[in-house]
Amino acid sequence: MSSNSFAYSEQSGGGEATELGQEATSTISPSGAFGLFSSDLKKNEDLKQMLESSKDSAKLDAMKRIVGMMAKGKNASELFPAVVKNVASKNIEIKKLVYVYLVRHAEEQQDLALLSISTFQRALKDPNQLIRASALRVLSSIRVPIIVPIMMLAIKEAAADLSPYVRKNAAHAIQKLYSLDPEQKEMLIEVIEKLLKDKSTLVAGSVVMAFEEVCPDRIDLIHKNYRKLCNLLVDVEEWGQVVIIHMLTRYARTQFVSPWTEDEGLENNEKNFYESDDEEKEKTDKRKKPYVMDPDHRLLIRNTKPLLQSRNAAVVMAVAQLFWHISPKSEAGIISKSLVRLLRSNREVQYIVLQNIATMSIQRKGMFEPYLKSFYVRSTDPTMIKTLKLEILTNLANEANISTLLREFQTYVKSQDKQFAAATIQAIGRCATNISEVTDTCLNGLVCLLSNRDEIVVAESVVVIKKLLQMQPAQHGEIIKHMAKLLDSITVPVARASILWLIGENCERVPKIAPDVLRKMAKSFTSEDDLVKLQILNLGAKLYLTNSRQTKLLTQYILNLGKYDQNYDIRDRTRFIRQLIVPNERSGALSKYAKKIFLAQKPAPLLESPFKDRDHFQLGTLSHTLNTKATGYLELSNWPEVAPDPSVRNVEVIELAKEWTPAGKTKKETPSKKFYSESEEEGSSSDSNSDSESESGSKSGEQSEEGNSSDDSSEDSSSESGSGSESEVENQRTAKKNSKNKRKSDSEDGEKEHEKSKTSESSNAESSSVEESSSDSETESESDSASESRKVTKEKEKTRQDRNPVPKDVSLLDLDDFNLVSTPVALPMPALRPSLIADLEGLNLSASSAVINVSTPVFVPMKTHVMLHRMSGKGLAAHYYFPRQPCIFGDKMVSVQVTLNNTTDRKIENIHIGEKKLPTGMQMHVFNPIESLEPEGSITVSMGIDFCDSTQTASFQLCTKDDCFNVSIQPPVGELLLPVAMSEKDFKKEQGMLTGMNETSTIIIAAPQNFTPPVILQKIVNVANVGVVPSGQDNIHRYEELKFQAL
Amino acid sequence: MIHSLFLINCSGDIFLEKHWKSVVSQSVCDYFFEAQEKAADVENVPPVISTPHHYLISIYRDKLFFVSVIQTEVPPLFVIEFLHRVADTFQDYFGECSEAAIKDNVVIVYELLEEMLDNGFPLATESNILKELIKPPTILRSVVNSITGSSNVGDTLPTGQLSNIPWRRAGVKYTNNEAYFDVVEEIDAIIDKSGSTVFAEIQGVIDACIKLSGMPDLSLSFMNPRLLDDVSFHPCIRFKRWESERVLSFIPPDGNFRLISYRVSSQNLVAIPVYVKHCISFKENSACGRFDITIGPKQNMGKTIEGITVTVHMPKVVLNMNLTPTQGSYTFDPVTKKVLTWDVGKITPQKLPSLKGLVNLQSGAPKPEENPSLNIQFKIQQLAISGLKVNRLDMYGEKYKPFKGVKYVTKAGKFQVRT
């Protein structure tokens, strides 16, 4: 090895000059290179001899030297015949190096390359899969058009190979063949279609890559494989994941309806950029129907989420853009943490990630606000990173954080990196225009900067001030005067020009100063920069028009100077101005309008983010980075108005059975799916159950013509409610699908209509009980406006409540209500959509404390406490109780259900929580104001209170339109706990870890004859929200408890 | 995807090129050189450059530019991540990723690149698989090879590529079975003039060196896993176990690898182990200034702080510095970068290290606007500043008893004191 490299470096040392020459000429004429190479000819002779020798070591040595030449970019093609003979060498390394050579040079020596083909053809039949694979790899890499048919045949065979590794290589070969001969497209698509059905994780990434390259528009090929791809995703190698996620993002945008509901749009307060006009219209239509996410859409979002934890930045970015583009806006928040993590990575990764964050932060500030400090600039960052961070900081600026930010900016302004300092001044200017509270502060700060010693800083300040003043010219006469004075000291031409322009624009506001400035400028005119001269001319013209008495002579003097200036721009301008403003016999009609021309209202420049217009590119793409459409960029389509038939993704029965339980894969696959439906979710299973029920109900009403889909969703909901055990769910699902497919096969193929109505009928039958109310509400809401539809929902709630007066159900509906109105900012999760509550709970928990396995409360006491008696509440009565459900507003909060009764004979309006008097640290999530409560009506709302682990009283005011009542909630200590499922061993361990101050005791009185475990259990759970630990000993019962705060 | 790769050294020589599709002429790099010239310093060369027919995506690693040529739309991070993986592999194989090492091993480099990409799409990037395919060079082997003419190419077939745990090679055998974990935490902080913390965060990694025979299945648990706020995993880790039990369960790759990297939530207060007293002033209209810094221990948890280095990028007007350190030594580069480096060493609380003296300024030039910020490096052995502690390591699937070890180190990451 070392001797070889020696020889190599020797050679390269000698050939340096020729090599340079070759580099220069090779671009012009490749054949010319041969001539220049003649000096090396002898060496090549030598190599040829070595290659023809019988000893492997000599051959190997020669090949190594040839590879060295190739690495240098030297042309070694004349050795082709000698090298190609060794293609069948027994020595693996020689063989490999010959392959490397062949792939590189075959294109230039097509006829000779054919000599090697038979070797590969033989290897394609080798019993060893790795040899078959590598033969296919090299064969397909030889870019010789003649062998296209051979390649096609080889690919077809390899695609049916038993080994997934060979099939993977077949997928790669597809792309190579396609680039060699695009006419094979149709045939290749057939192979792709076949390979897409492959269930191996090894193949998935490569075939999707081939799909993206050959036929990205054939989205129909994906339908049947969609669910499989989603489920395989976690196990695919990381590079494949990136490609698949990007493809699925595009797919989702064509197949599902938008999950961005109107409410979320409002909360988002910025205009959503994907909306074109027609989409707006579409939204108004849709607003009337409750949005239900397609289960397949949900599947994709759920299965990609774990990948945010990948070590590969590209995967994380791919998932982030998927969430950004297709998930409901309330869920996209989770990506920010992972993206911020990537900022610790290399400079290049930082650069790309920051660019994407910059685009995101323009539209959804809230996402990155908690990470504001992660974008603080270090003096050691490269300038391009600094500017991007600054950009993001500016985007994130709002009333609350602007003072901190401005302090931070002050540091930046002083930076030694002047380019960055200038960018900071721009940023301050943008903050000043966006946040009106600080406009004056910023302006003052900028004025101070005018005395800075650095020219770039001063110039930038002047320019920014000029822009700021232009927006609100009326009030700032003082600053203009100040700047006029600065004119004596500032030397930077841009700054001087800006000041002059400003004075000219506002010459009527500073009538005394302006002519004086002109006088000074007239004196120094000849020594000024061209830029400044032009502005002097402008100033003169403007003053001449407004105040000709004082400035007529001065202007004429300046015009005379300008007439003989060296710069012809200035001479031109002078001539132009003279004709326009100085009346003479030749001046035409234009001079009458001179004032209008010069002193027209000029629109204030917009201080905008340079990332404003990047949003139409898919995030994470090359096009987004470059801000131009790159070759091969695939446009992300707008959401369809109506979802295409979701049944296309249903897979045939036999395949399905295989797919859900692939042999040997089961263990691997379940985690990804099971993961989110863990026991956390079970804790609130009753919630989510009734949720999905109501969803499926409304869905079946809305899409009754799409029988299949509603069928699906009702299936899902029923299976979910079935139990938490995933395998059961799966079985059920498979069973259902089977039955459905049977149904399908019953009906004839041609009669689709018939079949559909049939399925929809059966689905109707399945969910008929719920359907009534929902279809009602739908028809009503269609005729009414959005606000009306809210009422309708409420009405629906009421009817529900009547039918089904379980308090849990009420709480759920309440939530529903809560979602329809806008969400308060205090929420940790910006908005909770009923269908997602279960998921979000999982998320909340996993974010902070995934160890804790919250189990369902053993028992929920129905004991209610009086909050407000109807006598003291002037007819309004309020009771509360603890439903022992994990609180959806935050994992530290205890959920409290408050039932409000109106015992008067008139409506009580606007019931809301008024002033809160909470002990320090305590937090409360209030319910949304209730517009009105009918006489004899009653409504239940849920609140979340973080009692900070104490039994302190939470006092607050319950207000109606007319009155305020002081009320308070004091929690019994047992309600602060949360039951957790754990083994006895763990319990003991945890118990050991508890320090003092964690004990609370109550005496339970029980008659001796009642001293049986069930009775005691009953008594205990009555007072405290605890669970039972399975215990080995009979006489000891352990009750676990976990404090909310202890999390 | 990736069309070609060019390796370029600091002086602008293209010393290696590799093409995965048809050949792209070296002249495409001219666009890169142009951008490099515009950027003034290497750090500011844009990673993505657009040329009329191609796109160039580049990374800068160890004084080398890896420039890849792209023809169609591709996620830029995909390419960047891959290029870094290539550099990591070189590092892994040759001990360093330098021009000399690459030139010396040009054949291995070529073989590696051939295996890592097929038609521009990553094929085998796991170091365990690559090492099965192509053996890393050792001095012994290169001597033996040159005598016997045997090769670096593995004659076993890379079965790892086919298994469902592609990161682990098959048939690993050691006489001493050992598993070591390094918990390395870095403190990123910005401290403002007055000494208060503007921003502080702990970034940690757990690097593992696992030499265990067979197919061990490990699970690593922590005393306080809840500290870990945001974690990214090596693909070998079973994500589900972590989500449900907060236990890292995995079949490890063979050799060195990064198990997880994590961030400790910024809500937790971060202990800042050192403080700096500084007094840097430049007098108006005079050719000198004062420079005085003292370093002392703060919340150091009773451990010694060692390996302290202070780096200061002085303003351009500084001509020279005349300083006396009470401890360690300092260097100042007055010509090019104006960087002051003070190698302090250990802090002894009895006598705090300080560096005092005069700064010579260019006469006539205006005094610098801002005082330079101090970048501080330090190291604390046997301490993870976040308080993270490994509880236990269990091994299943194999019978032998491995030797286990955990080491904790805290370092300064991007630790900056504004003055």
Side-chain angles (χ1 to χ4, degrees), chain B residues 39 149 330 370 397:
Chain B
Y330 82 96
E370 180 204 34

Side-chain angles (χ1 to χ4, degrees), chain B residues 121-172:
Chain B
F121 190 76
L123 193 62
T125 49
E126 284 296 338
S127 105
N128 264 252
I129 294 181
L130 288 171
K131 282 189 175 159
E132 256 184 292
L133 290 166
I134 301 145
K135 299 222 171 71
T138 58
I139 297 171
L140 182 70
R141 192 175 295 131
S142 61
V143 172
V144 172
N145 286 353
S146 63
I147 297 167
T148 61
S150 64
S151 69
N152 287 314
V153 173
D155 36 15
T156 51
L157 290 161
T159 44
Q161 219 157 358
L162 310 172
S163 78
N164 51 357
I165 36 172
W167 55 83
R168 186 170 179 87
R169 65 192 178 95
V172 184

Side-chain angles (χ1 to χ4, degrees), chain A residues 711-751:
Chain A
D711 199 337
D712 258 14
S713 64
S714 65
E715 255 169 52
D716 277 355
S717 64
S718 64
S719 58
E720 258 167 56
S721 61
S723 86
S725 143
E726 184 69 25
S727 60
E728 234 180 284
V729 175
E730 250 169 52
N731 289 346
Q732 236 168 320
R733 205 176 284 167
T734 346
K736 287 247 177 181
K737 293 230 163 125
N738 281 348
S739 71
K740 187 170 66 197
N741 267 298
K742 248 178 247 154
R743 242 186 277 142
K744 248 191 201 165
S745 55
D746 280 346
S747 58
E748 273 124 355
D749 287 348
E751 300 176 8

Side-chain angles (χ1 to χ4, degrees), chain B residues 194-241:
Chain B
S194 57
S196 53
T197 312
V198 178
F199 166 78
E201 195 174 60
I202 299 170
Q203 303 274 358
V205 294
I206 299 183
D207 285 333
C209 172
I210 307 244
K211 294 181 173 171
L212 297 174
S213 318
M215 273 291 164
D217 193 335
L218 304 177
S219 56
L220 182 77
S221 62
F222 299 99
M223 303 283 269
N224 38 11
R226 257 173 259 152
L227 276 175
L228 307 182
D229 185 32
D230 183 31
V231 194
S232 74
F233 299 113
H234 190 275
C236 69
I237 290 171
R238 298 188 181 94
F239 188 65
K240 197 198 160 249
R241 279 287 297 280

Side-chain angles (χ1 to χ4, degrees), chain A residues 93 128 137 309 344 623 675, chain B residues 73 114 151 186 231 243:
Chain A
E93 189 163 20
N128 187 320
R137 223 179 116 189
Q309 238 98 18
R344 266 286 288 192
S623 308
F675 180 76
Chain B
E73 169 66 50
E114 186 71 29
S151 69
E186 296 193 349
V231 194
E243 276 305 290

Side-chain angles (χ1 to χ4, degrees), chain A residues 71 93 128 137 176 238 309 311 344 347-348 379 383 408 414 453 621-623 631 675 850-851, chain B residues 17 43-45 60 73 85 111 114 118 126 151 157 186 188 231 233 243 246 366 373 416 418:
Chain A
E93 189 163 20
N128 187 320
R137 223 179 116 189
K176 299 181 206 168
E238 41 197 351
Q309 238 98 18
R311 64 166 171 178
R344 266 286 288 192
R347 165 189 84 99
E348 296 86 9
S379 61
T383 310
E408 187 68 16
K414 286 187 264 168
R453 211 174 292 104
T621 58
L622 185 63
S623 308
T631 338
F675 180 76
V851 178
Chain B
E17 62 176 69
E43 288 273 277
N44 274 319
V45 180
Y60 180 67
E73 169 66 50
R85 215 53 83 75
E111 284 166 350
E114 186 71 29
D118 180 21
E126 284 296 338
S151 69
L157 290 161
E186 296 193 349
D188 284 1
V231 194
F233 299 113
E243 276 305 290
R246 296 269 138 162
S373 13
Q416 200 158 73
R418 291 176 179 165

